[in-house]
Amino acid sequence: MHGRPREALLVAALVAAAAFLATACEPLYILPGGELSGTEHPAPDDWTFAEAEQVVQLEVRPADPYSVNVWGVGVGRHFYLGSSSAPKWTRAMEEDPLVRLRVAGRIYPLSAALVTDTAEIDAVVAAYVAKYDVDPAEEQVAAMFRLSAR
């Protein structure tokens, strides 16, 4: 094989590998994955330990698992995920609130609820600003979700 046929084969292999990673595996950087692997644990009473984790993995759609890497913060008994847009995972949580969250290698079955209380959103944004050292003036929240024990 010389030239173009070899390149076409390489491109086809890369496309197949990317499709496999996107649908059958764990999330990889910005690529989504499928069902998260690991043992489930009861939700903790305090999420303070999660401050050490910059990125966590969220799994939505229990019937057809879809997982992504996201930023999040723990505030007391709840874990929060915010979004400045409306990605697939936020729409999925609005349709089915049952999610699984992996933090520090442990998976927690949780239930998601859209946060509408302004004071609660402000407190969570402050936690994001402190954890991720982002400019609060640039933080636009389109949707904030509270994850709680099922």
Side-chain angles (χ1 to χ4, degrees), residues 21-27 30-36 57-70 86-93 98-101:
L21 286 172
T23 60
C25 297
E26 313 259 328
I30 62 170
L31 296 175
E35 184 176 6
L36 296 175
Q57 290 78 44
L58 172 70
E59 177 189 307
V60 296
R61 289 191 335 218
D64 182 20
Y66 175 84
S67 59
V68 292
N69 288 317
V70 294
K88 189 175 189 175
W89 59 267
T90 62
R91 293 187 307 274
M93 285 193 301
L98 300 181
V99 301
R100 297 190 330 144
L101 185 73

Side-chain angles (χ1 to χ4, degrees), residues 18-61:
F20 174 76
L21 286 172
T23 60
C25 297
E26 313 259 328
L28 181 66
Y29 300 105
I30 62 170
L31 296 175
E35 184 176 6
L36 296 175
S37 62
T39 305
E40 288 188 356
H41 298 272
D45 290 332
D46 183 359
W47 288 93
T48 305
F49 74 95
E51 287 304 303
E53 302 297 319
Q54 293 293 306
V55 176
V56 298
Q57 290 78 44
L58 172 70
E59 177 189 307
V60 296
R61 289 191 335 218

Side-chain angles (χ1 to χ4, degrees), residues 1 3 5 7 12 51 61 78 97 113 118 122 128 135 137 146:
M1 292 180 109
E7 291 172 5
E51 287 304 303
R61 289 191 335 218
H78 305 291
T118 306
D122 291 345
Y128 264 92
D135 182 353
R146 177 191 324 104

Side-chain angles (χ1 to χ4, degrees), residues 41-150:
H41 298 272
D45 290 332
D46 183 359
W47 288 93
T48 305
F49 74 95
E51 287 304 303
E53 302 297 319
Q54 293 293 306
V55 176
V56 298
Q57 290 78 44
L58 172 70
E59 177 189 307
V60 296
R61 289 191 335 218
D64 182 20
Y66 175 84
S67 59
V68 292
N69 288 317
V70 294
W71 283 4
V73 295
V75 179
R77 297 181 57 88
H78 305 291
F79 195 86
Y80 292 87
L81 302 173
S83 176
S84 59
S85 61
K88 189 175 189 175
W89 59 267
T90 62
R91 293 187 307 274
M93 285 193 301
E94 289 173 346
E95 293 171 9
D96 185 342
L98 300 181
V99 301
R100 297 190 330 144
L101 185 73
R102 183 167 52 202
V103 181
R106 299 182 82 160
I107 295 178
Y108 303 100
L110 303 168
S111 182
L114 184 63
V115 178
T116 57
D117 179 71
T118 306
E120 186 177 5
I121 292 171
D122 291 345
V124 174
V125 169
Y128 264 92
V129 168
K131 180 175 181 177
Y132 295 104
D133 193 29
V134 292
D135 182 353
E138 294 180 11
E139 291 305 300
Q140 301 296 321
V141 178
M144 179 73 64
F145 290 88
R146 177 191 324 104
L147 307 185
S148 304
R150 289 188 193 172

